[in-house]
Amino acid sequence: MTATSPSDRPATADDRVELTPGTAPADPRFVNDDLLPVPVAERRWTTYNFAALWVGMAHNIPSWMLASGLVALGMDWVQAVVTIALANVIVLLPMLLTGHAGPKYGIPFPVLARASFGLRGANLPALIRAGVACAWFGIQTWIGGQGVFVLLGKTFGGWADADRIAGRPWTLWLCFVLFWALELAIIHRGMEALRRFENWAAPFVIVGALVLLGWIAVKAGGFGPLLDQPSKLGWGADFWPVFFPSLMGMIAFWATLSLNIPDFTRFGAGQRAQVRGQTLGLPTTMTLFALLSVLVTSGSQAVYGVAVWDPVALAAKTDNVFGLLFALVTVLVATLSVNIAANVVSPAYDLANLAPRLVDFRKGALITGVVGVVIMPWKLTSTPELYIFTWLGLVGGLLGTVAGILIADYWLVRRTVLDLEGLYRADGPYWYRGGWNPAAVLAFAVGGILAIGGSHSAPGTGPFPEDGLIPFLKPLADYGWAVGLAASLLLYTALMKGRAASRSPR
């Protein structure tokens, strides 16, 4: 467990590190141009770029459905907003901790994972993250394509009556495919194009959400009815069994990015830019968007007698052509913004890490797009229970376990000091046993079992047994992300410290 000191390699005044000129690793098993550190001169993202990235990613239909789903589950607007605000303050901490390696070393998430899991073992967390991202890509693309279909159908009429393929109108499949192609066309232009897109997409989506709020307030006769919808749960015994799994679900929503945030922070102009940008961008915008979402959903309950948690379905209730077209553009921009940034960038790097000789960033993005359309993503968002408790709960437990290992290794074991060249060499300090670190694998296995082993579903609402996969772990299931992170962090730290002690001279 050795690491080169910062003085052994080129570093800037703010401790940003890059490879010595002319010493770039060349082993094709572990290196391609997309995985190499970003040169310091090309790390240019500012506080605004990171804040705009988060505004663009936070303001999207699935995050809207998070907040509106809590209202549909029985919370009032105060309970829903507090739940989401607390979750995003909590998830910000691992986001900043793992993001630190980006500006300092210029490396993406799968390369950072090599320090803890080993050069080959890093493919384990990378493929888990990639698989989750592919699923999210499919969910977002389906929702975006469905939004285009619904709103164009309301505008021009007749779309829903088209001939059916696999039980759905062919026009819906057309919207889905066109939306999918547009996403891949943007990401094919690279990270700089993404930065420019996020800069203008972020404020546009905020305006769209405010317009929807104004519309439902007018329909409801003012803001009073939006604020007066009572909680069906109260603050007593009925509230807490919904609150804790919902909190873990809200955390799990961005637990994906708490792993691969180095994919973005590696372009940062310094630690201050990423810390300020993420702190300004994530908890504030998610809380604001949650507030807009729950107020609009409460308004729909007042106007229509039922909480309409899908903003596309709600927007489709208007007969104003201009309003429908504006909602259509907002749906397009919002979904493109989050899907490209959150769900294509990460698996593109992760798949490149798996086979650097065969897969570069652009090929990884294409593979992500293909996988995302064959997983039947519409099933995961069919009900609030399945979306929040089953999908997000399971994902959160696994990703929290990986985050605990990354944070433990980078901050507690190595004190943020990495051998940058060693992350690309089979004869370096991160080879461990055949490229795998047994301590990381064991910590992942134990943390993962504790986090998701008790996963359970109420009858008819999910795929798990009512008593849990492992019944005695059922009490831990509602805290999966926190359990996985804490267990893996503590176990990995103990194993690595014990390994170092056993190797020290006596």
Side-chain angles (χ1 to χ4, degrees), residues 352-423:
N353 186 71
L354 180 65
R357 283 181 287 193
L358 302 175
V359 181
D360 60 11
F361 180 84
R362 287 177 171 82
K363 289 179 182 176
L366 180 60
I367 294 171
T368 300
V370 172
V371 174
V373 301
V374 298
I375 62 167
M376 296 184 291
W378 49 87
K379 292 189 176 181
L380 293 176
T381 55
S382 58
T383 68
E385 292 84 1
L386 190 62
Y387 179 49
I388 293 175
F389 295 156
T390 302
W391 166 242
L392 289 177
L394 188 68
V395 165
L398 289 176
L399 298 181
T401 302
V402 175
I405 294 171
L406 294 182
I407 292 169
D409 183 79
Y410 185 69
W411 286 95
L412 302 180
V413 176
R414 305 188 191 281
R415 307 288 182 175
T416 77
V417 178
L418 299 176
D419 180 343
L420 187 55
E421 293 183 20
L423 291 169

Side-chain angles (χ1 to χ4, degrees), residues 199-238:
N199 284 347
W200 71 265
F204 183 88
V205 176
I206 295 175
V207 173
L210 290 172
V211 169
L212 189 59
L213 174 63
W215 171 71
I216 199 66
V218 171
K219 295 280 287 186
F223 284 96
L226 277 63
L227 302 173
D228 290 342
Q229 297 299 311
S231 170
K232 298 177 183 177
L233 304 173
W235 290 93
D238 292 334

